[in-house]
Amino acid sequence: MKEKISHPKIAVRTLLKVLLMIVIIFIINSWPSIMRSLDGQAPPFNYWLDHSFKPSNFLLIIGFGAYFYYKDLTDQKDLIAKKQNEIE
């Protein structure tokens, strides 16, 4: 029996990794605003978005998303090949 690559599973895992990366990037870029908001001086939400999501961040997100997808795809291909070699 030949196993198939689960593209939906890979896509969901990649999406979760990218969402986590977006949260991390947002927190890192907004850290000064977060600290000010903890002191009671919360800046407007537009200020947070303007300083957190820049074109360079979108390129990072797209690049790492493609890397995560490719890495999961090759890992799954290697796992399937290893299982088939063990069966033979």
Side-chain angles (χ1 to χ4, degrees):
M1 183 169 103
K2 184 170 178 150
E3 290 189 46
K4 293 184 180 179
I5 295 174
S6 176
H7 289 284
K9 182 179 175 182
I10 293 172
V12 168
R13 289 180 61 184
T14 301
L15 179 64
L16 291 174
K17 289 176 185 177
V18 167
L19 289 176
L20 178 63
M21 192 173 69
I22 289 171
V23 168
I24 291 170
I25 288 173
F26 181 78
I27 290 172
I28 289 172
N29 287 333
S30 300
W31 191 249
S33 299
I34 292 170
M35 295 306 292
R36 278 190 286 164
S37 68
L38 292 176
D39 292 334
Q41 304 170 0
F45 191 64
N46 287 340
Y47 177 83
W48 291 54
L49 292 179
D50 289 345
H51 287 81
S52 296
F53 296 109
K54 301 173 187 171
S56 60
N57 292 342
F58 286 119
L59 290 174
L60 278 173
I61 291 166
I62 291 169
F64 276 107
Y67 170 76
F68 292 146
Y69 186 84
Y70 175 76
K71 179 76 171 120
D72 283 346
L73 182 66
T74 55
D75 287 349
Q76 197 168 56
K77 283 181 180 179
D78 291 342
L79 184 63
I80 290 171
K82 187 184 288 186
K83 284 183 181 180
Q84 286 179 350
N85 287 341
E86 288 176 2
I87 292 172
E88 294 174 354

